[in-house]
Amino acid sequence: LVGPFFEIVISGKSDGKDAREMLKRTREIFLPNKVVILNPIEQGEPEICDIIEFIKSQPSIEGKVTIYFCKNFSCNRPSMDIDEMVDLLA
């Protein structure tokens, strides 16, 4: 119950192949205290932004699925590479 805490924000089309693959891969990795959030770019301002406001500043880059990996509210640079994401989570 004591940290560290990990926030993983995936910004992309919710029905996109890349976003689904990133979600699948994050589920396969055991990482206690992780929260995975999908920021669906096809919805101008999704309802999730009302609850988790910080994801407004974590958009998709160039329309491609983009992942933000944060630890204790401090984020690494965004990535669009699934293998790089897996390395960060490991």
Side-chain angles (χ1 to χ4, degrees):
L1 295 175
V2 211
F5 298 97
F6 303 95
E7 300 89 24
I8 302 163
V9 179
I10 300 172
S11 294
K13 292 184 180 179
S14 57
D15 62 349
K17 180 182 175 187
D18 291 343
R20 286 194 315 264
E21 179 65 19
M22 282 196 180
L23 286 167
K24 178 181 176 273
R25 298 281 296 270
T26 57
R27 288 186 202 117
E28 293 172 347
I29 298 169
F30 177 73
L31 187 62
N33 300 328
K34 76 177 172 190
V35 176
V36 180
I37 304 160
L38 177 64
N39 182 8
I41 63 169
E42 72 273 7
Q43 301 174 12
E45 183 141 334
E47 286 184 45
I48 191 117
C49 289
D50 295 337
I51 301 167
I52 308 169
E53 290 186 27
F54 74 89
I55 67 171
K56 290 179 185 178
S57 63
Q58 297 173 325
S60 167
I61 297 174
E62 298 176 5
K64 297 178 183 174
V65 67
T66 307
I67 187 164
Y68 296 85
F69 180 72
C70 310
K71 180 178 175 182
N72 293 329
F73 308 104
S74 176
C75 299
N76 288 358
R77 65 179 180 78
S79 175
M80 294 178 277
D81 183 295
I82 291 175
D83 293 326
E84 183 179 1
M85 176 204 65
V86 171
D87 289 343
L88 284 173
L89 296 177

